[in-house]
Amino acid sequence: MAVARQRVTIAAIAEAAGVSVPTVSRVLNGRSDVSPQTRELIERLLREHDYRPRNSRHSGRARLVDLVFNDLDSPWALELIRGVEDVSHAAGVGTVVSQVHHRTTVARQWLQNLRARASDGVIFVTSDVAEPIHAELHRLKVPVVIIDPAGGAAADVPTIGATNWSGGRTATDHLLSLGHRRIGFVAGPKDLLCSRARLDGYRAALEAAGLQADDELIETGDFRHESGFAAANKLLSVDNPPTAIFASSDLMALGACEAARRRGLRVPDQLSVVGFDDLPESRWASPPLTTVRQPLAEMGALAARTVLRLSRGETIETPRVELVTKLMVRESTSSLPESGR
């Protein structure tokens, strides 16, 4: 049923979605007690009809949520932005995206801009909130949520992540099930909790299979193509090179595939490769990349719902949430030939 374009009401959205008015209100308020399918339908209708709340405690100014990255140059960041924007737009809230490095002057300027626009809340990505920034945001009564915290977040700061340890173990178990025993690993930055968890999952899978993790088969990258390429070249240069490489990001896995190609190695016939993220380009790689799906858009959406709830003074039941990862088996992995076992 079509909804009138002018003066769209919650009742009209509810009728179009075939749900009750309280259900639409729960979605607008970021509540979790709505099924994913119903939430998606309502949020789509809210976006399509450009619904804006008429009365709000924020009346007189635009409502805004700040989304802050250390680095924006990644498709991974775009997936998170999409998730945050879907929820904030449906709630009539704008999204301000910023890149704030660790330099003091940049952080100070960002804080000054945030004060001027009176943000409803801040979502930080793969970061620790420096104590001076945390103290100032607390003074301003601006709620904070962190996606993939770098270290241990403050007790009063909710965090959103994924089951990185489980994902790391599942990916390694997959390669072990295919007969691989020399499995190289390309870790992410050592200062990130998600990187350490994926490495720990890799080690746990090897240990469960009765294998010892070999430091010669572990390299560190920065989640980018170039570092995956460089790390794979090092791994493939050792005297007894790996028959498979698990890279803890899709971009590094694609870099590893390129390193193999330049050495004349066929993926997956001569080298199996697994990534982590399930970015859109992983499905279009040649061959399509086996990877661990981390629900990035869902993580962004949940962070947005959480920070909007905090902005209304609601209590968050679970301060630390990890969304489930899932192995997506495609064509970049295959059984190790008997001659290689």
Side-chain angles (χ1 to χ4, degrees), residues 8-166:
V8 177
T9 64
I10 291 180
I13 295 293
E15 184 179 358
V19 300
S20 66
V21 169
T23 299
V24 177
S25 295
R26 285 197 291 272
V27 171
L28 284 169
N29 291 329
R31 294 270 297 275
S32 59
D33 52 344
V34 180
S35 73
Q37 296 85 355
T38 301
R39 182 184 302 280
E40 183 179 350
L41 171 61
I42 292 171
E43 288 178 346
R44 177 173 60 78
L45 287 168
L46 290 167
R47 289 194 302 272
E48 287 178 356
H49 301 289
D50 200 24
Y51 173 81
R52 291 291 184 272
R54 295 186 183 181
N55 298 308
S56 166
R57 69 180 180 86
H58 303 274
S59 58
R61 68 171 174 85
R63 296 188 61 193
L64 299 170
V65 165
D66 275 72
L67 177 59
V68 182
F69 293 86
N70 287 322
D71 181 10
L72 272 170
D73 187 20
S74 167
W76 182 84
L78 295 178
E79 289 295 298
L80 285 173
I81 292 170
R82 182 167 64 84
V84 171
E85 176 63 18
D86 281 352
V87 169
S88 61
H89 181 83
V93 179
T95 305
V96 179
V97 179
S98 304
Q99 180 172 274
V100 178
H101 297 291
H102 296 293
R103 295 191 301 274
T104 303
T105 52
V106 176
R108 189 182 299 121
Q109 182 62 52
W110 173 78
L111 263 177
Q112 183 177 333
N113 293 340
L114 180 129
R115 290 189 201 99
R117 59 179 169 261
S119 180
D120 287 73
V122 180
I123 301 169
F124 289 98
V125 180
T126 57
S127 173
D128 276 333
V129 183
E131 180 52 37
I133 292 179
H134 182 261
E136 179 63 7
L137 293 174
H138 183 74
R139 187 187 70 79
L140 294 170
K141 295 183 171 53
V142 176
V144 173
V145 174
I146 303 178
I147 298 175
D148 264 340
D156 61 340
V157 177
T159 61
I160 310 295
T163 53
N164 291 292
W165 183 91
S166 175

Side-chain angles (χ1 to χ4, degrees), residues 48-304:
E48 287 178 356
H49 301 289
D50 200 24
Y51 173 81
R52 291 291 184 272
R54 295 186 183 181
N55 298 308
S56 166
R57 69 180 180 86
H58 303 274
S59 58
R61 68 171 174 85
R63 296 188 61 193
L64 299 170
V65 165
D66 275 72
L67 177 59
V68 182
F69 293 86
N70 287 322
D71 181 10
L72 272 170
D73 187 20
S74 167
W76 182 84
L78 295 178
E79 289 295 298
L80 285 173
I81 292 170
R82 182 167 64 84
V84 171
E85 176 63 18
D86 281 352
V87 169
S88 61
H89 181 83
V93 179
T95 305
V96 179
V97 179
S98 304
Q99 180 172 274
V100 178
H101 297 291
H102 296 293
R103 295 191 301 274
T104 303
T105 52
V106 176
R108 189 182 299 121
Q109 182 62 52
W110 173 78
L111 263 177
Q112 183 177 333
N113 293 340
L114 180 129
R115 290 189 201 99
R117 59 179 169 261
S119 180
D120 287 73
V122 180
I123 301 169
F124 289 98
V125 180
T126 57
S127 173
D128 276 333
V129 183
E131 180 52 37
I133 292 179
H134 182 261
E136 179 63 7
L137 293 174
H138 183 74
R139 187 187 70 79
L140 294 170
K141 295 183 171 53
V142 176
V144 173
V145 174
I146 303 178
I147 298 175
D148 264 340
D156 61 340
V157 177
T159 61
I160 310 295
T163 53
N164 291 292
W165 183 91
S166 175
R169 173 153 187 175
T170 300
T172 310
D173 281 339
H174 170 65
L175 293 170
L176 290 166
S177 73
L178 295 173
H180 297 279
R181 293 298 179 267
R182 296 280 291 172
I183 301 173
F185 183 76
V186 185
K190 295 179 180 179
D191 59 337
L192 296 182
L193 282 177
C194 62
S195 298
R196 300 198 293 272
R198 293 169 198 177
L199 174 58
D200 288 345
Y202 160 82
R203 291 182 185 276
L206 293 178
E207 183 178 345
L211 301 173
Q212 183 71 34
D214 185 346
D215 289 342
E216 186 180 50
L217 295 183
I218 300 174
E219 294 290 339
T220 300
D222 62 5
F223 290 151
R224 296 172 179 271
H225 291 99
E226 295 83 359
S227 68
F229 178 83
N233 271 324
K234 290 180 181 178
L235 293 171
L236 295 172
S237 296
V238 302
D239 291 339
N240 184 13
T243 60
I245 292 177
F246 169 29
S248 52
S249 81
D250 282 354
L251 297 185
M252 293 196 300
L254 294 174
C257 289
E258 178 60 15
R261 187 190 69 81
R262 294 193 188 186
R263 287 170 172 264
L265 297 175
R266 298 186 306 277
V267 175
D269 299 337
Q270 295 169 292
L271 180 73
S272 287
V273 178
V274 178
F276 201 110
D277 284 330
D278 195 25
L279 297 175
E281 50 263 58
S282 68
R283 297 186 286 277
W284 296 99
S286 182
L289 185 66
T290 295
T291 185
V292 177
R293 181 180 187 273
Q294 130 165 265
L296 295 168
E298 292 92 331
M299 289 162 63
L302 180 57

